[in-house]
Amino acid sequence: DIMPDGGAIIAGSLGKPGGKLDFTNLLLRIDRRGRLLWWRLVGAMAAPHNPDVIALSDGGVALVGRTDYKPWLLRTDADGKTLWKRDLAAAGIDYAARMSRLPGGAVLVVGAAPAPARGLALRRFDARGRMVWKASVAKGAELSVPAPGMAADGAAVVTGTTTPRTGSTRRVRVG
């Protein structure tokens, strides 16, 4: 994602050589000329994972990742120091997929609700990591490739493809 100063924040999974299933979430920050400013390794896991990362207006970063099968949300300051980390499983998210930045440093996290209900789990966290609200929609279905965002009136909007019910594109509006 592009940072407010024109640099970028990049996230991914980093594996150890030798073919063993031993991976870590990698978070790195570069300036607008491509120079490395800082990097962090966050959370070990047994399988590769594509964490989602977003740049925030204060220069900080929000990262959704997982340690093995436990999803979490991490917030850093502009220097990459951890401000807080939240257990998303405790917030009712089985698998966190995407995020969207909201005004005031808030973050909208979209993921899968746990079984047996399944469906789409939306959680809004404020800049201090407190869950402000939660919503569950499309119960019994799964939403692949969710694209969260925010409408002009402040409502959360998520677009994606639901399965197995219809296999069609749906737009969900909460708020």
Side-chain angles (χ1 to χ4, degrees), residues 13 30 32-33 35 59 65 69 71 76 80 99 116 142 148:
S13 294
I30 57 174
R32 64 180 182 201
R33 291 186 174 87
R35 293 180 295 216
Y69 294 101
T76 76
M99 290 184 299
E142 293 185 23

Side-chain angles (χ1 to χ4, degrees), residues 44-122:
M45 60 200 154
H49 168 66
N50 293 321
D52 193 23
V53 64
I54 55 173
L56 301 170
S57 60
D58 65 358
V61 172
L63 174 73
V64 166
R66 68 179 184 205
T67 301
D68 288 327
Y69 294 101
K70 298 174 186 159
W72 43 258
L73 170 64
L74 176 89
R75 171 77 156 86
T76 76
D77 65 11
D79 296 321
K81 294 179 184 147
T82 299
L83 297 176
W84 49 260
K85 186 176 179 181
R86 299 295 177 259
D87 176 0
L88 292 177
I93 294 181
D94 192 35
Y95 181 86
R98 298 280 181 254
M99 290 184 299
S100 183
R101 77 186 123 256
L102 301 174
V107 176
L108 174 65
V109 178
V110 179
R118 281 293 179 214
L120 183 65
L122 293 93

Side-chain angles (χ1 to χ4, degrees), residues 110-174:
V110 179
R118 281 293 179 214
L120 183 65
L122 293 93
R123 305 294 185 260
R124 180 180 178 144
F125 292 87
D126 68 13
R128 294 185 181 159
R130 294 178 295 215
M131 187 168 51
V132 177
W133 58 255
K134 63 182 181 176
S136 296
V137 295
K139 292 181 180 172
E142 293 185 23
L143 190 73
S144 61
V145 196
M150 188 170 185
D153 65 359
V157 178
V158 180
T159 304
T161 304
T162 59
T163 57
R165 284 193 180 160
T166 62
S168 61
T169 299
R170 290 184 66 177
R171 185 173 183 197
V172 177
R173 181 180 170 89
V174 179

